Every structure is written in structure tokens, then in C-alpha cells.
């Protein structure tokens, strides 16, 4: 089958399954819930859906910690439910892209469990395991990870450490291992053969690590990042994935490539290089922080925002293709961030103005669930209203180090990822039409002001 450019004519809708629609009243969104909203998606006019991870997982990072790539997380449903959804989406003219989380697995993945419990395990080489310095007293390097703190965790009862760029429940896979890569290719084909239309590849630009393991220069966040952001073999791995997994399917491959620049973006997306179709880069959403770290809050400046967007519009004009987005499950809601929610009237103008602006750029637009309703941020300063592993780590660090507290304390809740993860507001009932029971995360208290039916009515009367 030929690899075509259908993504260039697509509008892609991101579903965060946990928060979209709960069909069976357990407070957690699920696949049958998604199926029940296919007509809504069709009405909205999108022709592709990107599903955040639905694989089996202990949910330490809401599915970005996969323990079984070949099964569905039971509270979301079964493989039959997934196939039913895929068929019904296709029948409605909507393609389906899955999340592909292969920088790391869950620490509950059988490969990892075997790797750390058995020194002769064939799976030891699937992960990045090294002796600690000073007989295990110190980790192999001084690197620090995306959620703060050391990237190394000591393996209980040994002098060895494993690498994790995210939480300690998410050990990094070793892409320098060929048997490991072969397993990933096999898994990708399993889903493509089932009829899945592509992947959004989670943090794919950090899969190659400089395995000389040198210490990084002093830095507040992500110390040693040169060793793993767009590491030494990154483009080789992208081309290998294309050649062995994607080439023979008419699929779309999007890479999440945090902390890249325009020249990296060109390398990833130049059509003739055969790596990725599009990337998600965050320079524009990082307008209101320092160094690409969302917790280092900085005042939003429209001029900087426009410059950063323009940079990629011009930078990829002759090669490649842009993804257009201003929200996702890691980015708080856009209307109060880049516009204003000061009054219902301004909120309405702001959300429509933002939509118009980014839809008119060159690239493929993405809508994050609830964005079409102008859903807003939580606004609570109570830790009990939040659950995200990233925020919990930041909160812990701020409690321990007064300097970090001074840097991030004031805006910690406002910038946190749960702002984008509150249940979808289908109507103004108690649980917003998301569920009949209390949802896993509190419904946004502004629920009376936002709801899908009212917005659709608005739309019909235009
Ligand atoms: O996120 C990558 C990630 O590091 C983001 O938090 C990024 O740093 C930030 O949004 C840029 O401003 C991906 C997933 O989207 C996220 O949900 C996971 O927690 C993470 O990978 C680990 O799998
Ligand atoms: Ca459910």
C-alpha cells in the first residue's frame, strides 16, 4: 500500500479516553463512551481522531505507562470494544490514530519485571541499567528528568540503577538494543494490520541516549539534556521505524518532539528523508514559561507567541508540514491562557478568535476534546482537586526546597496538566453528562457556563 499524505486534508480531534465519556457509571471514561459520541464527532466535522493511550497500564501516568502493548486497559473496555470503535469510526469517515508510547514502558511490564529480578534475563538489555558510582552510592550520572529529580532509580538490593526520564514507574527502553526494536516493530504492525491509521509517537525525540553517560553541566531542570534530547542515533531510529514498520501502510506518523528547534523539525518532517509526517513541538505554547519548563511561569506576550508560530510557518514552508494546536492533555486550556475568560462575552470572542487564527495557518489543525466548547482551567489552589503525577512531583520538590518553591510555587496549580483533564462537559447536570457517578477527577466548577448541547444549538442557528 502506498504511503499518502491524507493528513494534509485532515482535522484531527484528540480524545483523552479517561475524561471523554463514561458509558457504565464507574466514573472513568471508556471506549463504549467514545462509540456513543461518534455522531457528535461527525457533526463537528472532524475526519480523524487521535486517542491518548488505551493500552493496559497501572495508570501511574494515565496510560503513558504501558504494561501490555497488546491489550486494552480493562476499565476502558476490551479488544472487541476497540475493534467495534475502529469499525464504527471508519464507517463514519473518521480515521483513528493511536498513541505510541515506546520511549518507556511501565515498571509493571513483564520485560522490566524480568530484567530487574534476574541478572541473566534476556530483557535486561531492553532497558538502560548501569552500575552506580562509588559502589552504588551515587547514580551513574547527575542527569535530571522531565518530572524533576534524578533520572536513575536504584534496583533494590543491588548497586545497579535503571534510567527513567519520566517517573520511576516509567523505565526507559534501550533503543540501542536490536531485539528490543524488533519487538516494537512487531507490535506496531499488529495495530496497523488491525486497521489503525497511524500513531502519535510519545516523546519520540528522546529515545536515543548518549550511552557514554557523561555528567551534564549544572542546570535547574533537565540536567544533562544534551545526552538525550535528539540524541546521537535519533534520526537513524526514525528512518528504521519508517522502513520496517510504517512504509507499507497508508498511515500518518506524528512525533511529539519536545524541546526541538526549527532545524530539528525540518530534519524530522522533510518528506524525502522518510522519518515523520508531522511533529508536535512546543515553542509557541512555551511562550509563557522559561526554558520550555511549564512550571517556570512567565507572563504571556502576544508578540513572542506570534514570532514563535511564524518561525515554524516560514521554517517548514519549503519542506515538511506543520501540526497546528494550542491545547492537549499536557497543556492547560487555551481560552484563559492566550485570550480571556473575564466575562462570558469575552470568553466567547476569545475562544472563537483563537480557533480562527490557528485554523488559518498552513498545516493540519488539531482540536483537543472540550476545546470546541471553550472549556476552561480549574482555578483551584487545593492539592486535593489534582492528581497528576507531574504536579505531585513538583509539589514535593517545592516542599523540600524553598528555592524551588519560590520559583514555581505561585503558579504551580494554574499551569498543571489536570487543567486539561477534567471531565468533558456534555451538559450542565451534576457530572456534566460525562458520567452518572462521581468522576475520577472533579468536574470543572464552571460547568454551568459550558456545555456541548448549548454550543451545538448555537452552531445550528448560525
Ligand atoms: O509528554 C512529554 C512531556 O514531557 C510533556 O510534559 C512536555 O514536556 C511538555 O508538555 C512540553 O511543554 C508526553 C505525554 O504527552 C505526557 O502525557 C506523558 O506524561 C509523557 O510524555 C511521558 O510519557
Ligand atoms: Ca466507565
Amino acid at each position: 500500500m502506498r504511503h499518502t499524505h491524507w493528513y494534509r486534508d485532515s482535522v484531527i480531534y484528540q480524545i483523552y479516553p479517561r475524561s471523554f465519556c463514561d458509558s457504565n457509571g464507574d466514573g472513568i471514561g471508556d471506549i463504549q463512551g467514545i462509540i456513543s459520541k461518534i455522531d457528535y464527532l461527525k457533526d463537528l466535522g472532524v475526519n480523524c481522531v487521535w486517542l491518548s493511550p488505551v493500552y493496559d497500564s497501572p495508570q501511574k501516568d494515565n496510560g503513558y505507562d504501558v504494561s501490555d502493548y497488546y491489550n486494552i486497559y480493562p476499565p476502558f473496555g476490551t479488544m472487541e470494544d476497540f475493534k467495534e470503535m475502529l469499525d464504527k469510526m471508519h464507517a463514519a469517515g473518521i480515521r483513528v490514530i493511536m498513541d505510541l508510547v515506546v520511549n518507556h514502558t511501565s515498571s509493571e511490564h513483564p520485560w522490566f519485571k524480568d530484567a530487574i529480578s534476574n541478572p541473566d534475563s534476556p530483557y535486561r538489555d531492553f532497558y538502560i541499567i548501569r552500575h552506580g558510582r562509588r559502589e552504588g552510592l551515587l547514580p551513574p550520572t547527575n542527569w535530571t528528568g522531565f518530572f524533576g529529580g534524578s533520572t536513575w532509580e536504584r534496583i533494590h538490593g543491588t548497586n545497579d540503577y535503571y534510567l527513567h526520564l519520566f517517573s520511576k514507574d516509567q523505565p526507559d527502553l534501550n533503543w540501542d538494543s536490536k531485539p528490543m526494536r524488533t519487538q516494537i516493530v512487531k507490535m506496531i504492525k499488529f495495530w496497523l494490520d488491525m486497521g489503525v491509521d497511524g500513531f502519535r509517537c510519545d516523546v519520540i525525540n528522546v529515545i536515543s541516549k548518549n550511552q557514554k553517560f557523561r555528567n551534564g553541566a549544572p542546570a535547574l531542570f533537565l540536567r544533562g539534556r544534551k545526552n538525550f534530547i535528539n540524541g546521537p542515533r535519533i534520526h537513524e531510529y526514525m528512518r528504521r521505524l519508517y522502513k520496517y514498520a510504517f512504509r507499507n501502510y497508508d498511515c500518518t506518523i506524528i512525533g511529539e518532539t519536545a524541546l526541538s528547534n526549527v532545524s530539528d523539525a525540518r530534519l524530522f518532517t522533510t518528506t524525502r528523508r522518510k522519518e515523520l509526517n508531522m511533529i508536535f513541538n512546543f515553542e509557541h505554547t512555551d511562550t509563557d514559561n522559561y526554558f520550555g519548563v511549564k512550571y517556570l511561569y512567565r507572563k504571556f506576550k502576544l508578540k513572542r507567541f506570534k514570532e514563535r508560530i511564524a518561525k515554524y510557518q516560514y521554517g517548514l514552508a519549503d519542506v515538511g508540514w506543520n501540526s497546528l494546536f494550542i491545547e492537549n492533555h499536557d497543556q492547560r486550556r487555551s481560552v484563559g491562557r492566550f485570550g480571556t475568560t473575564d466575562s462570558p462575552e469575552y470568553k466567547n470572542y476569545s475562544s472563537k478568535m483563537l480557533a480562527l487564527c490557528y485554523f488559518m495557518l498552513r498545516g493540519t489543525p488539531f482540536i483537543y476534546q472540550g476545546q470546541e466548547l471553550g472549556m476552561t482551567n480549574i482555578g483551584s489552589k487545593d492539592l486535593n482537586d489534582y492528581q497528576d503525577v507531574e504536579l505531585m512531583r513538583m509539589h514535593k520538590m517545592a516542599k523540600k526546597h524553598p528555592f524551588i518553591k519560590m520559583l514555581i510555587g505561585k503558579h504551580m496549580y494554574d499551569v498543571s496538566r489536570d487543567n486539561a483533564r477534567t471531565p468533558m462537559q456534555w451538559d450542565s447536570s451534576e457530572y456534566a453528562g460525562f458520567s452518572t457517578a462521581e468522576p475520577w477527577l472533579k468536574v470543572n466548577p464552571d460547568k454551568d457556563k459550558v456545555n456541548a448541547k448549548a454550543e451545538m444549538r448555537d452552531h445550528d442557528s448560525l
Side-chain angles (χ1 to χ4, degrees):
M1 198 188 287
R2 261 191 60 232
H3 200 93
T4 67
H5 295 305
W6 56 261
Y7 61 91
R8 296 191 175 200
D9 304 315
S10 298
V11 177
I12 305 184
Y13 187 90
Q14 183 191 352
I15 292 181
Y16 195 67
R18 210 178 168 77
S19 305
F20 190 60
C21 181
D22 172 20
S23 71
N24 62 348
D26 64 356
I28 301 174
D30 47 56
I31 293 175
Q32 283 300 333
I34 298 174
I35 293 174
S36 72
K37 299 295 182 187
I38 291 179
D39 284 346
Y40 170 80
L41 296 171
K42 215 179 148 181
D43 243 22
L44 205 58
V46 301
N47 53 7
C48 182
V49 152
W50 149 33
L51 274 192
S52 275
V54 292
Y55 311 97
D56 202 1
S57 155
Q59 304 281 311
K60 292 278 164 62
D61 189 16
N62 292 358
Y64 285 93
D65 49 325
V66 179
S67 54
D68 183 352
Y69 289 108
Y70 293 93
N71 269 307
I72 304 293
Y73 173 56
F76 287 173
T78 62
M79 198 58 108
E80 280 59 50
D81 293 323
F82 183 84
K83 288 181 180 156
E84 182 187 336
M85 181 201 67
L86 195 59
D87 285 348
K88 291 189 169 160
M89 288 276 191
H90 285 164
I94 300 174
R95 289 183 159 103
V96 178
I97 286 178
M98 291 182 91
D99 226 295
L100 184 73
V101 190
V102 291
N103 172 65
H104 44 266
T105 66
S106 158
S107 53
E108 296 294 311
H109 195 291
W111 296 341
F112 187 70
K113 289 213 270 195
D114 196 59
I116 58 164
S117 58
N118 168 10
D120 302 317
S121 164
Y123 296 113
R124 224 172 145 83
D125 192 41
F126 277 33
Y127 294 89
I128 302 177
I129 297 174
R130 289 291 181 281
H131 294 308
R133 288 173 293 167
R134 303 232 190 116
E135 328 257 281
L137 272 178
L138 288 178
T141 67
N142 67 355
W143 302 352
T144 59
F146 282 86
F147 296 159
S150 174
T151 58
W152 298 97
E153 181 74 11
R154 193 169 177 166
I155 301 175
H156 189 70
T158 74
N159 289 343
D160 293 338
Y161 287 72
Y162 67 87
L163 182 84
H164 61 91
L165 294 184
F166 294 87
S167 84
K168 68 175 177 15
D169 310 301
Q170 295 163 297
D172 280 50
L173 286 166
N174 176 20
W175 276 76
D176 290 2
S177 158
K178 193 172 172 195
M180 194 291 291
R181 294 197 305 263
T182 308
Q183 289 298 318
I184 298 295
V185 166
K186 187 177 137 209
M187 179 271 288
I188 290 173
K189 286 184 168 165
F190 168 83
W191 292 101
L192 289 172
D193 285 335
M194 192 190 292
V196 163
D197 300 287
F199 294 98
R200 172 269 190 188
C201 309
D202 189 57
V203 285
I204 202 70
N205 68 320
V206 303
I207 61 175
S208 164
K209 280 86 178 172
N210 185 339
Q211 301 212 4
K212 289 191 178 119
F213 297 109
R214 297 209 172 102
N215 276 340
L220 257 181
F221 282 92
L222 286 176
R223 197 189 297 136
R225 70 200 235 178
K226 280 203 185 117
N227 292 285
F228 48 80
I229 308 258
N230 297 320
R233 298 176 68 182
I234 183 65
H235 295 288
E236 174 200 330
Y237 294 151
M238 293 297 94
R239 286 195 295 268
R240 278 179 189 276
L241 277 180
Y242 179 84
K243 184 169 163 201
Y244 295 114
F246 302 135
R247 186 177 51 176
N248 295 319
Y249 301 85
D250 190 18
C251 58
T252 283
I253 308 300
I254 309 154
E256 189 206 23
T257 59
L259 303 167
S260 295
N261 56 33
V262 175
S263 48
D264 299 318
R266 287 174 66 93
L267 292 175
F268 282 126
T269 63
T270 297
T271 320
R272 70 180 153 69
R273 286 173 58 90
K274 305 207 180 314
E275 296 190 15
L276 297 163
N277 299 124
M278 283 183 275
I279 63 157
F280 287 134
N281 191 44
F282 300 95
E283 274 205 57
H284 64 301
T285 51
D286 286 334
T287 302
D288 54 6
N289 68 45
Y290 290 102
F291 316 122
V293 179
K294 63 165 88 66
Y295 285 85
L296 295 176
Y297 178 78
R298 178 188 194 184
K299 200 168 178 303
F300 175 73
K301 279 245 163 47
L302 181 62
K303 187 162 175 275
R304 194 161 55 226
F305 189 58
K306 281 168 33 181
E307 279 165 2
R308 292 183 178 201
I309 289 178
K311 193 158 88 179
Y312 283 82
Q313 287 288 301
Y314 288 113
L316 300 189
D318 57 333
V319 297
W321 191 250
N322 281 288
S323 67
L324 309 172
F325 72 98
I326 52 173
E327 278 185 24
N328 67 28
H329 65 293
D330 296 331
Q331 299 288 332
R332 62 192 183 279
R333 295 294 182 178
S334 60
V335 56
R337 182 181 184 187
F338 307 129
T340 176
T341 52
D342 282 355
S343 75
E345 194 191 1
Y346 287 167
K347 193 194 107 176
N348 191 357
Y349 287 140
S350 286
S351 49
K352 289 176 183 165
M353 173 276 291
L354 286 168
L356 190 66
C357 287
Y358 87 95
F359 263 68
M360 291 299 119
L361 300 171
R362 177 179 184 267
T364 297
F366 288 73
I367 302 170
Y368 175 63
Q369 70 182 41
Q371 185 184 350
E372 72 275 28
L373 312 177
M375 275 180 67
T376 59
N377 294 317
I378 303 174
S380 157
K381 305 270 184 217
D382 181 353
L383 187 65
N384 295 316
D385 289 338
Y386 299 85
Q387 295 187 23
D388 179 32
V389 54
E390 182 183 73
L391 175 66
M392 296 306 147
R393 295 255 340 148
M394 294 294 166
H395 186 262
K396 215 166 135 190
M397 277 172 41
K399 242 174 116 178
K400 217 162 123 195
H401 309 288
F403 179 61
I404 296 192
K405 185 165 183 190
M406 192 189 85
L407 286 177
I408 71 172
K410 198 163 160 224
H411 298 282
M412 191 159 49
Y413 298 113
D414 304 337
V415 303
S416 93
R417 307 193 294 183
D418 279 339
N419 283 298
R421 300 178 179 182
T422 59
M424 175 81 175
Q425 287 161 252
W426 296 102
D427 61 36
S428 51
S429 65
E430 188 178 7
Y431 301 128
F434 163 75
S435 178
T436 51
E438 192 180 345
W440 70 278
L441 187 66
K442 213 165 109 176
V443 172
N444 190 315
D446 82 349
K447 72 181 166 59
D448 301 336
K449 293 175 229 147
V450 179
N451 77 67
K453 271 197 210 128
E455 291 285 326
M456 287 306 251
R457 274 202 303 274
D458 236 27
H459 169 82
D460 289 345
S461 63
L462 282 178

